[in-house]
Amino acid sequence: LVSQAPIARPTMSLRVLVGCKRVIDYSVKIRINAAKTGVETANVKHSLNPFDEIALEEAVKLKETNKAAEVVAVSCGPDKCTEVLRTALAMGADRAIHVKVDEDTPLQPLAVAKIFKALVAKHKVDLVLLGKQAIDDDANQTGQMLASLLDWPQGTFASKLEVDEAGKKLKVTREIDGGLETIAVNLPAVVTADLRLNTPRYAALKAIMAAKKKTIDEVKPADLGVDVKPHLQTIKVEEPPVRKAGVKVADVDELLSKLRSAGAL
Amino acid sequence: VSSLVLVEHNGTAIDAATLVAFSAAKKLGGAVTALVAGGAVDDVAAQVSKLPGVGKVLVSKDEAYSHGLPENYTQLLLSVQKQHKFSHLVAAHSAFGKNIMPRVSAQLDVAQVSDVTAIVDADTFVRPIYAGNAIATVKSSDAVKVVTVRGTAFEKAAPADNKAPIEAVAAAGKSNASEWLESQLTKSDRPDLGTAAKVVSGGRGMKSGENFKLLFDLADKIGAAVGASRAAVDAEFCPNDMQIGQTGKIIAPELYMAVGISGAIQHLAGMKDSKVIVAINKDADAPIFQVADYGLVDDLFKAVPALTEKLSK
C-alpha cells in the first residue's frame, strides 16, 4: 500500500468582497443645487461611506485572524472612486475593482446589487461585507438585494460577526429595534455592518505608500452584462423645512413655566 | 391600486410602525390587504381586521415566520404576490421591514422606495436623503412599487368598526441557510421609545451610564421614554436600542428633551420633527440650541435634578 499524503486544504480560505461607496463626507453640510435636482457635489469633500469603512475593517480583521484569504474592495461610480479604493487598499484590502460609471448616471441600489452579483460569480466570493446603508441616499437596500439575487442568506445590521471553525457558518449579532438578535447563516452569505461592529483603523503612512503598488482593475457594467438604468426618477430635491430657533431660558423655573404654558408638560 | 401591508408584530400586538404603514397604504387609494405571519397569530390577525380600510387579512401560520427571518418572509411575500398581483407592497421602515422588503424587490426586479414620508400619488413619493438634510421626491417607473414607510410620517391607524375577512394562506417553504438563535430585548416599564409622546434623551455630557438615572427619574416623573445620542451608546452608557438619529430610531414625540447632547446632524435627523424641543447643555454654542424651542444653558447635573424635584411639587 502506498501511503497517501494528507490533502493540503486550507480551512479558512474565504474570499471577501467589500463594497466601498464614495459619498459626500459626513461632516460636510450639504447644499441643494440651484436646479433643485440634487445636491452640490463639485468641490465638496468626499470619502468612503462610514458604514463601508466598518465593513472593510471587519474584512481586514478576518484576514488578520486567518479566516479570510483575500479581501477585494469594490467601488462603483466615476473615476474619483479610485480615491476611496486607495483608502481601502491602505486599510488592508489586497486588491480593488473599480466599476466605472460616468458621473451623470445615477446608480441605484438594485443596479449596484446586480453589479456585485456578477463580480461574486467572476471572483468566486464566499462572503460579501457591505455597510448597512450609504449616508447619501440612506436607502439601506443594497446588501439585502444582493443576498436575494444570489439566493444567499443575509445578516444585516451586524454588531458582531463570528466565523465558525470550519469556515462554513457565520454567527451574526444584529442590532434590531428592541435590542439585539443573534442568527446563524450558512456561507456563502452577505453581511451588512452597523456602527458598533468595530472601530475602523487609520491607515499608517507606510500602508498608504504600500497601497500605491496594489492593483485596481477597471470594469464597466456592460462588461458584466448589467443594465444600470435607474428605476426611480428624481423629480426634485428640496431643503427640509427649517425649524426656527427658539428662546433661551434663564433657569429651570422659567423652563418649567414656558413648557407648562405651551401645554408641553 | 391595490396594496399589501406586511404586518410586524410580537405575537400579541401590532407594531406601532406598521399602524403608520396602514395609514400610508390607505392614502394610496385602492384596496388594502394585510399579511400576518408567524406561529400564533390569531389575536394579531383579529386586531388587523378591525383597522380602517383593511379589506382582507391574509394569515400564514407557521413557525418559520416567528422571528422575522427575511429568507422565509421573502418566499411568503413572493408567493402571495404571485397570486394577488398587488400594485404596492408596503411595510414599515423598521429593522424588520428594512431587512425583508429589499429582498422582495430584487426578486421582482423593481426598485424599493425607502423611508417614505409623504405620498404624492401612487407612483410618486417623498423621502429624506442625507440624514434628512435634503428631501427628495421620486417617481417609480416599475409596475410594482415596494415601499417602506417612516414610522412618524403618518397617523397610526386605530381600530375602527371594521371586520375584514381573514383568509389562511399556505406557508411558502423554509430556508435552511439561516437560523434564529436568540434575542436579547431590552425590557422596560417606560413607554416605547419609538412611539412615546415624551422623550428624555442623554448624550456624551451624561459622562456615565450610572448618571442616566437622573434622566430615568425625570422621565418617570413625566411619563417619558428615555433615548440617547450615538455618542452615549458608543461610550456604552446605554444599549443600542436607545439610539436616536440617522442610523438609530427616528422619532417625533410631542416633547423631546435633549440633555448633554451637542446635536450632530446625524442626531438631529432622528428628532427634529418633534413638536417641542428642549435642550439642556452647558455649552451655549452647541448646535442643539439651533433647533430647540427652549434652551437652558446650565450644568445638567444641577438642572436635571432641580427639574425633577420641581415637577414633584
Side-chain angles (χ1 to χ4, degrees), chain A residues 22 47 53 63-64 88 100-101 112 118 142 153 157 216 237 242 245 255-256:
Chain A
R22 176 179 177 265
S47 51
E53 203 177 0
K63 182 160 185 206
E64 287 169 346
K100 195 172 163 179
V101 177
V112 176
T142 306
F157 326 145
I216 300 180
V237 175
V242 181
L255 176 60
L256 271 176

XYZ file of all heavy atoms in Angstrom, chain A residues 22 47 53 63-64 88 100-101 112 118 142 153 157 216 237 242 245 255-256:
145
model
N -18.291 55.810 -2.569
C -17.758 57.163 -2.378
C -18.942 58.090 -2.150
O -19.844 58.180 -2.984
C -16.973 57.582 -3.624
C -16.456 59.003 -3.594
C -15.685 59.282 -4.884
N -15.221 60.660 -4.939
C -15.881 61.649 -5.549
N -17.028 61.405 -6.145
N -15.373 62.866 -5.565
N -15.654 61.026 0.855
C -14.858 59.978 1.492
C -15.583 58.638 1.379
O -16.672 58.557 0.803
C -14.575 60.328 2.955
O -15.766 60.661 3.604
N -16.664 51.601 5.576
C -15.362 51.597 6.244
C -15.364 50.541 7.359
O -14.386 49.811 7.553
C -15.131 52.998 6.821
C -13.697 53.348 7.052
C -13.541 54.783 7.548
O -14.549 55.513 7.706
O -12.398 55.160 7.797
N -9.026 38.663 7.737
C -7.787 38.223 7.100
C -6.661 38.118 8.127
O -5.894 37.148 8.130
C -7.406 39.190 5.975
C -6.150 38.708 5.300
C -5.888 39.226 3.932
C -4.646 38.514 3.429
N -3.946 39.298 2.434
N -6.586 39.091 9.002
C -5.522 39.096 10.008
C -5.632 37.919 10.977
O -4.647 37.504 11.570
C -5.546 40.418 10.782
C -5.040 41.582 9.946
C -5.294 42.936 10.590
O -6.084 43.012 11.546
O -4.718 43.921 10.120
N -9.162 52.092 0.847
C -9.458 50.700 1.203
C -8.194 49.838 1.124
O -7.940 49.005 2.001
C -10.539 50.146 0.278
N -16.604 51.226 -13.398
C -16.658 52.612 -13.856
C -17.998 52.962 -14.494
O -18.459 52.309 -15.425
C -15.528 52.851 -14.863
C -15.281 54.320 -15.110
C -14.040 54.493 -15.938
C -14.026 55.896 -16.528
N -12.828 56.117 -17.323
N -18.598 54.009 -13.936
C -19.875 54.516 -14.433
C -19.725 56.029 -14.469
O -19.192 56.613 -13.522
C -21.020 54.122 -13.469
C -22.341 54.706 -13.925
C -21.128 52.605 -13.340
N -26.554 48.336 -8.359
C -25.313 48.002 -7.656
C -25.349 46.536 -7.215
O -24.352 45.809 -7.338
C -25.090 48.949 -6.456
C -23.851 48.547 -5.670
C -24.963 50.397 -6.940
N -22.628 39.907 -10.273
C -21.749 39.475 -11.368
C -20.303 39.322 -10.885
O -19.614 38.373 -11.254
C -21.837 40.487 -12.507
N -28.952 47.726 -0.579
C -28.062 47.002 -1.482
C -27.693 45.605 -0.974
O -27.736 44.636 -1.735
C -26.788 47.831 -1.771
O -27.205 49.105 -2.254
C -25.906 47.158 -2.803
N -28.153 33.651 2.220
C -28.725 34.240 3.432
C -28.039 35.575 3.747
O -26.954 35.862 3.231
C -28.413 33.201 4.504
C -27.204 32.489 4.001
C -27.311 32.491 2.502
N -27.267 44.623 9.580
C -27.113 45.483 10.766
C -26.267 44.772 11.822
O -26.610 44.744 13.013
C -28.478 45.899 11.348
C -29.576 46.097 10.324
C -30.893 45.768 10.600
C -29.286 46.605 9.055
C -31.903 45.942 9.662
C -30.284 46.780 8.110
C -31.586 46.442 8.408
N -5.704 48.178 -9.035
C -7.128 48.483 -9.141
C -7.538 48.107 -10.561
O -7.096 48.728 -11.525
C -7.416 49.979 -8.883
C -6.963 50.390 -7.472
C -8.911 50.270 -9.073
C -7.202 51.866 -7.134
N -35.366 67.876 -5.534
C -34.722 67.766 -4.223
C -34.814 69.136 -3.565
O -34.477 70.153 -4.176
C -33.245 67.328 -4.356
C -32.557 67.326 -3.001
C -33.159 65.941 -4.989
N -37.312 74.499 7.633
C -36.372 74.997 8.642
C -37.102 75.157 9.977
O -38.212 75.670 10.038
C -35.775 76.352 8.200
C -34.783 76.857 9.250
C -35.085 76.193 6.863
N -35.136 78.717 15.433
C -34.546 78.618 16.763
C -35.477 79.275 17.766
O -36.132 80.277 17.470
C -33.182 79.292 16.772
N -37.964 77.557 32.467
C -38.189 76.438 31.549
C -39.527 75.765 31.861
O -40.344 75.521 30.962
C -37.039 75.421 31.661
C -37.180 74.145 30.814
C -37.266 74.476 29.326
C -36.011 73.193 31.063
N -39.736 75.487 33.151
C -40.980 74.829 33.555
C -42.197 75.674 33.207
O -43.197 75.159 32.697
C -40.957 74.569 35.060
C -40.356 73.235 35.485
C -40.302 73.149 36.997
C -41.177 72.073 34.926
